[in-house]
Amino acid sequence: MRLRDALRRGANEISSAGSDEARLEAELLLCEALGVGRSRLYQQLNSEILPEASAAFERLLARRLAHEPLTYIIGRREFFGREFEVTPAAIVPRPETEALVELVIQFARERFGGSPPTIADIGTGSGVIAVSLAAGLPGANVVAIDESADALNLARRNADHHEVAARIGFLRGDLLAPLGAAVDIIAANLPYVRTPDWEQMPPEIREWEPRSGLDGGADGLRVIRRLLQQAPARLRPGGALFAEIGEEQGARAVAGARSAFPQASIELRRDLAGRDRVLVVLT
Ligand SMILES: C[S@@+](CC[C@H](N)C(=O)[O-])C[C@H]1O[C@@H](n2cnc3c(N)ncnc32)[C@H](O)[C@@H]1O
């Protein structure tokens, strides 16, 4: 069988399993099986697939057809222009979260200019936010906190890989409790899925991603509200908090922020799809 035919068959099967990106996913799995990049795959499409590569592709395909997310199968994901290792210890990083990183970098540059801020990334998971901020803000010191030891180990490997580990401290614990001193910026992508919505999630999420990273209680804001209550004591004057939220949670998130920070300027910012995505509290 030619690579072209293996690819077509794989894409059809992945599509039947419900993916909207079946062709791309099949290409990436075939690349993984062959140990080549996508441009190399395209050059070889008319070649015969060797038995060993064919068997490897079948194994990867079977995992994807069992609804395992592509990111966990190939073990990596691009985020904010960098490649990150991702395992089931952490959720699959979402493109929406890049909006939060962008906002924090912009705020830090405008507010702190030459003197780099201290930043806490709460619920760091694979470390995509902490690493992207440390890399995008030279000199900034970051504290990455998660309640999961496995997630912290993963985040540490990503920080090592991107050579920013010297400026990131990794702490295990609940929200802001492990923080020693107040910081200039709190960035958080904490669980915000409503519990009643969990059972309706696609199997890729419900059966494979850690529920502790996604389920935010009855209205989705249980963890974020606790963060807001803790934050005033942990933010330096002139500091800011950025929290990712669900697109329908804006009004309730603003109300929670207003009760924790009565004097602050509070805004909602949108992601690239135009949906409310980041709660911003400027003290
Ligand atoms: C939505 S995931 C975000 C992961 C990563 N920051 C990202 O954007 O891809 C939320 C993370 O928060 C962590 N988490 C949940 N509740 C927590 C808590 N109370 N204290 C600390 N971390 C928590 C989970 O373990 C999970 O890694």
Side-chain angles (χ1 to χ4, degrees):
M1 189 193 295
R2 293 177 309 168
L3 289 172
R4 176 185 300 285
D5 304 316
L7 183 58
R8 188 179 308 118
R9 191 177 60 75
N12 285 342
E13 290 185 16
I14 296 173
S15 173
S16 306
S19 168
D20 296 335
E21 295 189 314
R23 168 76 190 196
L24 175 63
E25 296 200 38
E27 280 180 15
L28 294 172
L29 292 178
L30 192 50
C31 286
E32 190 71 12
L34 296 165
V36 302
R38 277 174 82 201
S39 54
R40 191 73 189 278
L41 171 66
Y42 271 94
Q43 288 161 6
Q44 299 179 351
L45 276 180
N46 286 324
S47 311
E48 287 294 309
I49 185 166
L50 296 173
E52 211 171 286
S54 175
F57 182 51
E58 289 306 320
R59 282 194 297 273
L60 297 174
L61 200 53
R63 288 172 65 181
R64 187 65 194 90
L65 296 178
H67 298 288
E68 183 171 351
L70 181 88
T71 299
Y72 291 155
I73 299 173
I74 64 175
R76 29 179 220 281
R77 173 91 176 192
E78 195 183 307
F79 181 88
F80 212 69
R82 288 184 180 78
E83 194 168 89
F84 288 84
E85 178 189 346
V86 181
T87 71
I91 69 153
V92 174
R94 308 296 207 267
E96 300 89 279
T97 306
E98 295 182 338
L100 179 144
V101 171
E102 189 106 50
L103 285 168
V104 174
I105 290 178
Q106 196 184 349
F107 169 80
R109 286 186 182 145
E110 283 169 16
R111 174 67 66 94
F112 298 97
S115 61
T118 54
I119 303 171
D121 169 26
I122 313 302
T124 198
S126 56
V128 286
I129 297 176
V131 169
S132 301
L133 292 177
L137 294 167
N141 283 304
V142 181
V143 180
I145 295 176
D146 205 290
E147 61 184 7
S148 157
D150 289 343
L152 286 173
N153 286 334
L154 174 64
R156 204 176 279 115
R157 289 201 296 279
N158 278 317
D160 278 337
H161 180 74
H162 290 294
E163 299 182 344
V164 289
R167 287 187 287 114
I168 304 182
F170 297 90
L171 298 175
R172 184 176 180 197
D174 179 46
L175 300 178
L176 301 176
L179 262 191
V183 295
D184 297 307
I185 297 172
I186 293 172
N189 178 18
L190 286 161
Y192 59 76
V193 172
R194 294 168 63 244
T195 301
D197 294 340
W198 178 257
E199 293 306 327
Q200 270 64 59
M201 293 283 182
E204 277 76 3
I205 297 177
R206 205 180 60 234
E207 291 170 15
W208 292 93
E209 296 199 71
R211 186 167 180 169
S212 55
L214 292 169
D215 188 341
D219 72 348
L221 287 170
R222 189 188 58 209
V223 191
I224 294 171
R225 262 194 217 99
R226 283 206 302 117
L227 175 78
L228 288 168
Q229 284 153 12
Q230 295 177 9
R234 305 297 181 131
L235 262 187
R236 289 200 187 125
L241 177 147
F242 300 79
E244 183 167 328
I245 57 165
E247 59 196 87
E248 288 159 6
Q249 295 168 339
R252 273 172 293 121
V254 167
R258 172 71 55 223
S259 100
F261 291 92
Q263 313 295 334
S265 157
I266 297 166
E267 301 167 11
L268 291 174
R269 303 300 288 267
R270 298 191 167 161
D271 60 21
L272 281 177
R275 293 179 288 231
D276 282 345
R277 186 62 63 194
V278 186
L279 170 73
V280 183
V281 180
L282 303 163
T283 67

